[in-house]
């Protein structure tokens, strides 16, 4: 517990230092409208420091275009106004001091997007963690400590997010079932495969990560704990520009990456594309201790494994937008990746002892793994803007294909206590080619009214996958097919959905949003080898409700409710086995059922930055991955996926910034959650609960002369997931940044987990299952990253596309293992 005491002591000292002072506090107010004098409501207003343009406070204008910033410290500022369809507009510089505690900013007049303004070189730098009303945003692009990391390492720093590194599972506020989107497109991978994909995605390609715990009806109903949307970097305006990034890292092994992002816009055509290459050698060490009872006696297993691996990944994206007229735009987009992941010289050493502690056998398994996954996704999209601001129709057609080939070779030798051969060497191999095809179409219509807007849409998707596992034994010098271990599995799924959503204001202080989504699902899993078919057809309703009340100038209260579904991913339905050694394997479950979750959340926001959320959810038929099981007579331990009856989750999240000094800002996030599982399992009632918490703190320092720095740390207490109790985890990162080459270049140096504190420890004990596990990996890495921006840096961004395959690709399979 020592790390948590240290963490809390730092926060306590910081709070004491901050609130021990009584500086001058003032108020800044004003009004924003069009050049014609019409007030503009819901305009994003930003109070910026005049010296370095850092963001101090945020606000939103009311129905009369008025805004107000309270509790403003002494200093020089400018106000920035931002609204879709209008040019970003800035006020003149002004000062808040003892003589001028209340400032009335002259009215800001915003011009249409198509009109030109003289260049304004004021840029608001966003904090690394930004708490918004309906989501948490991790601003990766400007972070020093995030540069050169992987997307998974950045996500690990996000508030409320826990990464189970042993099983590569992502949890949000203590709940699994996170759906990951990339640029609004769902990845359709399993939880483990999503973690692997993020593990091999460079953070330098990412602009920001959005964490949405209660999505609206417009989103697919999948996602028990919510949605994580990763937005990739894009370019900005007219002309030609680009960004080149090169990075080098070193832990126990080397890492390097490079990427090129280009954009050209002229007349009615916008062409954009990027390419990145990522090389990463790393390792993982596991220690597994098992006690297996059978026939009145016990057997002890002590296993240690060392698994070095190498990853080489290529990611690409290219597209074109053609602006047919002021009202209509058509676009094409192609994205994909080529990922090679290889495990070499991996070894699992096991010592087996009897009840008296005497060594009976010493198996050693040498493992070779070769995985290659490729993906190509094509998207055709259309957008039409009707007369009247905000009324629009969009449509997307998508096709996506994943091709994978996984090859495993295991050679096991058996020695006795005297290190002499005890039985013949066993050599097995398996090859599993996989193909996943996804077709989807969706269309959305937005219709504004005087007091709000209606949204409605349809979506249809069809997925088919084909996995063929060929398992062979080496007998007398030749490979022989093992029909008992081989298996071909085919899966088909069709989901049709329709939704309607309304958002508007009940009065000047109360906003309302409600919606209903209907999804009809037909799935068929066919284990060809076992002649086993699981056919399901069901229709479900998914309502959502959001209420927001402006209590006064400083306080906002929000309430939300949603019902969601999580369908089993394609690989978890596949019944074949993946072996770590002859005594340990992972197996799918074709009988997995979907899980359903009802979620309630109450959020209080103070002055647009201090946020407190209290949420409750109940999940039925909970899908739990890595459920342990045993075949004691064969000394075999395995894990699978299964449904438990119920899970109750209560969580409290607090987010609060602390401006320590003009040059030092701190952002803190605390999440406390309670999990309870209640279900019959293995002939008994599994009834267990646990309270856990996680903390995150980020410190940014403006040092002058183009230098800035960051210090960030996170800590997860001991907790519970399914049948596993895990021990505390934590780490911190430090980074330094320098702008060079007339601010066109940036050099970042950072060290992640310098004292190698981050490791996973856990255990499972239920009925006759009793084992402990410790896992370490290459979390301590030093990195250097250089970024260079060239060309016209005022090019308008390529349109963000939320394509029609965004919900299926999270369950497909495609990273590395």
């Amino acid at each position: 517990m020592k790390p948590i005491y240290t963490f809390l002591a730092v926060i306590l000292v910081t709070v004491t230092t901050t609130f021990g002072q009584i500086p001058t506090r003032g108020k800044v107010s004003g009004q924003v409208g069009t050049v014609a004098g019409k007030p503009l409501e819901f305009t994003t207003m930003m109070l910026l420091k005049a010296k370095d343009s850092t963001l101090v406070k945020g606000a939103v204008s009311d129905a009369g275009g008025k805004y107000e910033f309270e509790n403003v410290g002494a200093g020089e500022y400018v106000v920035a106004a931002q609204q879709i369809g209008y040019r970003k507009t800035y006020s003149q510089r002004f000062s808040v001091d003892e003589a001028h505690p209340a400032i009335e900013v002259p009215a800001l007049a915003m011009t249409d997007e198509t009109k030109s303004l003289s260049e304004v070189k004021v840029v608001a730098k966003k904090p690394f963690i930004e708490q918004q009303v309906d989501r948490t945003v991790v601003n990766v692009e400007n972070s020093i400590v995030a540069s050169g990391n992987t997307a998974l390492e950045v996500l690990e720093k996000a508030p409320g997010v826990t990464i189970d590194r042993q099983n590569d599972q992502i949890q949000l506020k203590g709940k699994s079932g996170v759906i990951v989107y990339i640029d609004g497109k769902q990845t359709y991978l399993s939880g483990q495969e999503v973690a692997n994909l993020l593990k091999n995605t460079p953070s330098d390609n990412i602009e920001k990560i959005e964490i949405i715990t209660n999505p609206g009806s417009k989103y697919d109903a999948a996602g028990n704990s919510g949605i994580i949307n990763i937005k990739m970097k894009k370019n900005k305006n007219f002309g030609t520009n680009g960004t080149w990034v090169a990075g080098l890292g070193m832990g126990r092994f080397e890492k390097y990456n490079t990427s090129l992002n280009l954009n050209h816009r002229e007349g009615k055509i916008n062409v954009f594309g990027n390419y990145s290459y990522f090389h990463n050698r790393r390792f993982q060490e596991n220690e597994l201790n098992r006690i297996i009872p059978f026939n009145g006696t016990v057997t002890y297993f002590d296993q240690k494994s060392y698994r070095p691996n190498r990853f080489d990944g290529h990611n690409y994206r290219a597209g074109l937008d053609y602006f047919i007229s002021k009202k209509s735009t058509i676009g094409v987009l192609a994205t994909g990746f080529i990922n090679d992941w290889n495990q070499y010289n991996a070894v699992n050493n096991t010592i087996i002892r009897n009840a008296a502690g005497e060594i009976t056998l010493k198996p050693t398994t040498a493992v070779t793994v070769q995985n290659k996954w490729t993906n190509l996704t094509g998207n055709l999209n259309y957008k039409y803007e009707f007369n009247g601001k905000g009324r629009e129709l969009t449509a997307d057609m998508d096709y996506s294909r994943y091709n994978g080939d996984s090859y495993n070779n295991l050679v096991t030798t058996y020695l006795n206590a005297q290190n002499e051969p005890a039985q013949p060497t066993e050599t097995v191999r398996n090859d599993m080619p996989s193909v996943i095809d996804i077709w989807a179409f969706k269309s959305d219509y937005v219709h504004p009214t005087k007091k709000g807007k209606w949204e409605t849409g349809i979506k249809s998707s069809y997925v088919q996958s084909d996995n063929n596992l060929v398992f062979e034994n080496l007998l007398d010098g030749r490979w022989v097919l093992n029909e008992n271990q081989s298996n071909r599995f085919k899966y088909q799924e069709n989901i049709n959905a329709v939704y309607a959503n309304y958002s508007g204001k009940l009065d000047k202080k109360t906003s309302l949003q409600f919606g209903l989504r209907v999804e009809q699902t037909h799935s068929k899993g066919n284990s060809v080898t076992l002649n086993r078919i699981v056919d399901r057809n069901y229709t479900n309703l998914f309502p959502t409700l959001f209420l927001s009340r402006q209590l006064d100038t400083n306080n906002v209260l929000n309430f939300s409710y949603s019902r969601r579904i999580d369908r089993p991913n394609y690989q978890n339905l596949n019944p074949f086995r993946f072996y770590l050694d002859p005594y340990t394997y992972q197996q799918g479950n074709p009988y997995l059922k979907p899980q359903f979750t009802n979620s309630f959340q109450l959020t209080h926001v103070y002055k647009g930055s201090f946020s407190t959320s209290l949420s409750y959810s109940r999940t039925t038929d909970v899908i739990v991955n890595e459920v342990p099981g045993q075949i004691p007579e064969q000394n075999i331990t395995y894990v699978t996926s299964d449904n438990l009856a119920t899970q109750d989750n209560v969580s409290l999240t607090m987010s609060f910034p602390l401006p320590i000094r003009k040059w030092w800002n701190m952002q803190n996030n605390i999440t406390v959650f309670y999990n309870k599982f209640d279900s019959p399992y293995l002939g008994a009632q599994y009834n267990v609960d646990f309270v856990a918490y996680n903390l995150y703190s980020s410190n940014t320092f403006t040092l002058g002369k183009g230098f800035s720095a960051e210090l960030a740390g996170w800590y997860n207490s001991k907790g519970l997931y399914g049948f596993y109790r895990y021990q505390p985890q934590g780490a911190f990162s430090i980074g330094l940044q320098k702008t060079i080459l007339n601010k066109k270049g940036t050099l970042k140096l950072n060290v992640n987990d310098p004292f190698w504190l981050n490791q996973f420890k856990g255990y499972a004990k239920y009925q006759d299952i009793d084992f402990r596990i410790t896992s370490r990996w290459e979390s301590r890495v030093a990195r250097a990253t250089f970024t260079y921006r060239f060309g016209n840096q005022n090019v308008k961004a390529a349109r963000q596309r939320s394509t029609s395959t965004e919900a299926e690709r999270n369950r497909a399979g495609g990273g590395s293992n």
Side-chain angles (χ1 to χ4, degrees), residues 96-342:
V96 175
D97 50 39
E98 292 183 2
H100 306 88
I103 301 295
E104 179 75 23
V105 178
L108 297 178
M110 302 188 73
T111 59
D112 292 340
E113 186 78 37
T114 55
K115 297 180 180 180
S116 62
L117 285 176
S118 57
E119 183 180 10
V120 182
K121 296 183 178 179
V122 180
V123 179
K125 183 178 179 181
K126 297 179 180 178
F128 181 60
I129 304 292
E130 187 178 4
Q131 191 68 48
Q132 298 181 1
V133 174
D134 63 338
R135 67 194 63 192
T136 301
V137 179
V138 183
N139 293 301
V140 180
E141 187 172 17
N142 295 320
S143 171
I144 304 169
V145 297
S147 183
N149 283 260
T150 67
L152 191 66
E153 289 169 329
V154 174
L155 196 58
E156 196 169 37
K157 299 176 174 68
V161 176
T162 304
I163 309 295
D164 177 355
R165 288 287 193 150
Q166 169 58 28
N167 302 309
D168 282 337
Q169 299 291 331
I170 303 172
Q171 299 173 42
L172 183 57
K173 294 184 179 181
K175 297 188 293 181
S176 59
V178 179
I179 300 298
V180 176
Y181 287 61
I182 296 180
D183 278 340
K185 299 179 292 295
Q186 193 172 340
T187 53
Y188 292 101
L189 311 179
S190 68
Q192 185 179 41
E193 289 157 342
V194 166
N196 288 324
L197 179 62
L198 298 180
K199 192 187 299 180
N200 300 309
T201 299
S203 65
D204 294 301
N205 292 356
I206 300 172
E207 176 189 351
K208 60 184 176 181
I209 299 174
E210 298 177 328
I211 302 171
I212 310 169
T213 53
N214 246 5
S217 298
K218 185 175 182 178
Y219 291 92
D220 290 294
N224 159 44
S225 58
I227 291 173
I228 294 177
N229 183 29
I230 299 174
K231 290 192 173 183
M232 311 304 284
K233 289 182 179 178
K234 295 174 179 63
N235 285 316
K236 295 180 180 177
N237 294 320
F238 288 93
T240 302
N241 73 0
T243 303
W244 175 60
V245 176
L248 179 65
M250 181 59 69
R252 183 176 295 183
F253 300 111
E254 83 287 348
K255 305 99 176 35
Y256 47 85
N257 64 282
T258 186
S259 66
L260 180 64
N261 192 2
L262 295 172
N263 194 91
H264 176 78
R265 181 169 180 179
E266 184 175 355
K268 294 185 175 183
I269 295 179
N270 185 42
V271 182
F272 55 92
N274 59 57
Y275 164 79
S276 66
Y277 169 70
F278 190 57
H279 167 86
N280 193 352
R281 286 181 65 207
R282 55 197 173 207
F283 71 91
Q284 183 159 340
E285 297 173 334
N286 293 330
E287 184 172 341
L288 181 62
N289 307 107
R290 290 177 274 184
I291 302 174
I292 302 178
F294 182 65
N295 281 347
T297 185
V298 295
T299 302
Y300 297 94
F301 271 71
D302 296 312
Q303 181 185 64
K304 291 184 179 181
S305 65
Y306 177 70
R307 294 182 285 170
N309 58 78
R310 169 178 174 150
F311 173 83
D312 290 278
H314 305 263
N315 290 268
Y316 57 89
R317 171 188 175 93
L320 181 147
D321 290 330
Y322 178 68
F323 303 91
I324 302 172
S325 66
K326 291 183 178 180
K327 295 182 179 180
S328 60
T329 305
I330 191 170
V332 292
L333 177 67
T335 62
F337 60 76
I338 302 172
N339 289 344
D340 282 292
W341 184 87
N342 299 292

